[in-house]
Amino acid sequence: MHPTLAADLDRLPELLQSVRDFAAGELSGIGERPASTARKAPDPEPLPATGVGAQGALERFARRWQPGFSGSAGPRYLGFVTGGTTPAALTGDWLTGAYDQNGSSAGGSTVDALERETLGWLRELFGLSEAHRGAFVSGATMSNTVGLAVAREWLGERLGVSVSRAGAAALGPVDLLSGSPHSSITKALSVLGVGRDRLRPVPLLGGDREAVDVVRLAEELDSLNGRPAVVVANAGTVNTVDFDDLRAIAALKERYDFWLHVDAAFGAFAALSPAHASLVEGLDAADSICVDLHKWLNVPYAAAVQFTRRQDLQLRVFHNESPYLGPHTGTPDFLHLTPENSRRLRALAAWFSLTAYGREGHAEIVERCIALARRLGEGISAVPGLRLLAPVRLNVVCFTLADGPTPERLGALARAVADSGEAFLTPTVLHGTPALRAAFSNWRTTEADTDRVRDALARATRELFTDPITRE
Ligand SMILES: *Cc1c(COP(=O)(O)O)cnc(C)c1O
């Protein structure tokens, strides 16, 4: 063994203590650390010929890289839809690395059963029936990709071809209908050989809504003259967290032949709030479902789940036969269900958090985030120069400048807030109007944090756009 490696092995307990102290320091200060950083990355250094040992590496990391890391795990990073890591999830994640189990199959361990137990809990959390089977994947993009891969195989079944054998071309042109799909849907269509251009946008309800017009969806399906299609319903859009009417869409299955995939990346968590659970009524009727976990479950990157009622088709797409893997019988191993073969045991962090806080603890995070988004929405409505672009439907506040909302002016506002260190928000465009979004999905965020975000926005708006001295 290399002497530096041997020395690290000898002092592994001390090393773990040292990194524990470092992480504890970082996390106890996360609330005051700037939400984002505009620092430049350090100059590249050459590959070390002689290593410095793990303690030396920690010191170098602290010197070179730590200053540029953002506070994205903290309470006022409201860009995109960014979760955090609950204490229990971090515990599980640390152990995931420590055990370093391969979650591909049993492989002489019970890790596959732990993943199945966790999947069962998540299924229950989101109100899904046992007809849904699932697996952990790396994020909602991958979950959507897996769901649409199963949809593609189903189209083959309907048309009498095996896509997993003959290829996507055997299907001919595929019709995928959706109202406000996430960008990862078109990415998935590209990856799957269906093609980005096969997405047929369906008109929305109008006004500030991002939900699909189900009447128009029915007309589109009708125009296919019986050709099977894929419908992607959206349960929680990123701009305004709007929800398609899942029950009404599912009811169309009585008349039309389509696979229903629901992207509920973070919207599925509405099921944890009695006042909002009706938004995801009908979710169980989906043929495949995407739920992200590194967002509102607050487990570390990279984790999501996919569920489907047709695990038999999923197995056809992803099965991985080789004599060295042995025969597969009964419950399929995860390597026959997901794009990866070897897999990180992502389920362990979720298992820890669900075990530690239960349904009630996670429901409290969801309820609090919703209340805080409302609070910020009300605060922003009262800030001169800002206005909401849509009501706060769940956990995202979508707003813009009352006068002259150009991408440049909104970019300047977002930058000023980020430079203050107080918060991080990201830009978007809603029905042609440039806007900013503040998404609440971190377990740490409090009312005081929310008021700081409102104050930072009010200050920056005043200084940039209304102060007579600096007025443009
Ligand atoms: C975040 C998100 C995705 C993509 O998730 P990743 O985890 O970034 O891959 C897909 N759909 C919706 C609705 C999302 O919010």
Side-chain angles (χ1 to χ4, degrees), residues 81 138-142 144 182-184 234-238 263-266 290 292 294-295 301 303-304:
V81 182
S138 58
T141 300
M142 197 46 89
N144 279 329
H182 187 266
S183 54
S184 57
N234 302 292
T237 56
V238 288
D263 181 353
F266 64 101
C290 154
D292 227 337
H294 51 221
K295 289 176 179 166
Y301 292 104

Side-chain angles (χ1 to χ4, degrees), residues 175 177-178 200-205 212-227 229 231 248-249 252-253 255-258:
D175 295 294
L177 309 171
S178 189
R200 296 173 50 159
V202 181
L204 308 177
L205 285 176
V212 75
D213 182 337
V214 180
V215 174
R216 301 295 296 274
L217 176 63
E219 286 168 13
E220 293 280 338
L221 287 164
D222 205 59
S223 73
L224 298 177
N225 296 319
R227 218 185 126 72
V231 171
I249 295 174
L252 294 177
K253 285 186 149 212
R255 279 189 281 151
Y256 305 108
D257 199 18
F258 64 92

Side-chain angles (χ1 to χ4, degrees), residues 263-326:
D263 181 353
F266 64 101
F269 287 82
L272 278 71
S273 164
H276 300 89
S278 63
L279 294 169
V280 284
E281 253 173 48
L283 182 63
D284 186 52
D287 298 295
S288 53
I289 299 170
C290 154
V291 186
D292 227 337
L293 301 178
H294 51 221
K295 289 176 179 166
W296 227 349
L297 193 70
N298 279 265
V299 297
Y301 292 104
V305 276
Q306 57 77 215
F307 290 106
T308 182
R309 291 174 166 273
R310 292 295 307 273
Q311 197 172 63
D312 59 319
L313 294 179
Q314 185 171 349
L315 190 56
R316 267 198 240 158
V317 178
F318 293 103
H319 74 137
N320 183 67
E321 305 299 344
S322 167
Y324 99 101
L325 294 169

